[in-house]
Amino acid sequence: MWNKLIEAEMKKDYFKNLDLFLEQELKKYTIYPSKENWFKAFEETPYEKVKVVIIGQDPYHGENEAHGLAFSSLSDKRPPSLKNIFEELKSDLNVEIPKTNNLTDWANQGVLLLNTVLTVRKDEANSHKNQGWETFTQNMIASLHKKDYLVYILWGKQAQAYEKWITNKNSLIIKSAHPSPLSVYRGFIGSKPFSKTNEYLMKNKISIIDWHLEK
């Protein structure tokens, strides 16, 4: 299903322009994640399996960090936002803070970890903003309108701007401040998104997410 939707987007003018931009960027700069991982979120979480959508911003821009899943990292060094996510998870569900920074296990259970922008220049945050990715990810989120009882977790203003694309009334939208160190104390801590998600899924007879990761 995702493949068909992505192919349809690629035929549109905005995506052709985005493609040209990315071609030029690849010639001049190091781009993260690697090209084969640009659509990793869709590969790891098939359309039919989506239960939860967590919307991120743009990928991590450090070496060996981004791999196509929002907030997830391949690096041994833990990104500050992910550190705060894990601390809230422990506070919320008493889930032990894991050693891994890789969230693929969440994605495989139906958590679509989607950044609003899918690529970035090395060491330059937001360098691929407003080039067309936002239109693409808006359309992907809008395509989920046929699915009932999804949970959307919107951390921060950039993610919350996507709320207007969530049109199925049988959805739970969980909003709070972003988990970054700059805003974590403005309402992210104590927001309990993980328990709220599982309570909603259980209420609607959908199998819950096991938020535990490798110890």
Side-chain angles (χ1 to χ4, degrees), residues 65-189:
E65 289 185 329
H67 65 119
L69 303 178
F71 296 105
S72 184
S73 175
L74 297 177
S75 174
D76 291 335
K77 187 180 174 188
R78 181 154 293 164
S81 292
L82 187 57
K83 178 176 179 284
N84 290 328
I85 288 168
F86 285 158
E87 286 179 358
E88 177 61 21
L89 177 58
K90 187 171 193 315
S91 166
D92 185 5
L93 288 174
N94 202 29
V95 168
E96 282 305 310
I97 292 174
K99 288 180 181 169
T100 185
N101 295 321
N102 188 330
L103 305 181
T104 300
D105 192 49
W106 292 359
N108 292 160
Q109 293 182 71
V111 181
L112 182 66
L113 295 161
L114 186 63
N115 280 315
T116 58
V117 174
L118 300 189
T119 55
V120 70
R121 251 183 237 166
K122 181 183 177 181
D123 299 331
E124 290 187 53
N126 289 317
S127 46
H128 287 181
K129 198 175 176 183
N130 299 325
Q131 296 294 336
W133 277 129
E134 293 90 344
T135 302
F136 172 80
T137 49
Q138 284 164 8
N139 291 347
M140 292 297 104
I141 287 164
S143 77
L144 290 165
H145 74 278
K146 295 174 185 171
K147 291 177 70 72
D148 287 328
Y149 310 118
L150 295 188
V151 180
Y152 294 86
I153 299 176
L154 310 180
W155 290 326
K157 287 181 182 173
Q158 199 165 316
Q160 287 161 20
Y162 278 59
E163 186 174 358
K164 63 185 172 210
W165 304 100
I166 302 166
T167 54
N168 188 316
K169 299 221 165 28
N170 293 319
S171 303
L172 174 65
I173 298 173
I174 298 171
K175 295 189 282 188
S176 78
H178 194 274
S180 83
L182 294 172
S183 56
V184 69
Y185 294 106
R186 295 182 197 151
F188 177 78
I189 290 173

Side-chain angles (χ1 to χ4, degrees), residues 19 23 26 31-39 43 119:
D19 207 29
E23 266 181 47
L26 285 165
I31 303 304
Y32 294 136
S34 54
K35 191 172 183 180
E36 66 269 20
N37 287 333
W38 289 357
F39 300 105
E43 291 164 18
T119 55

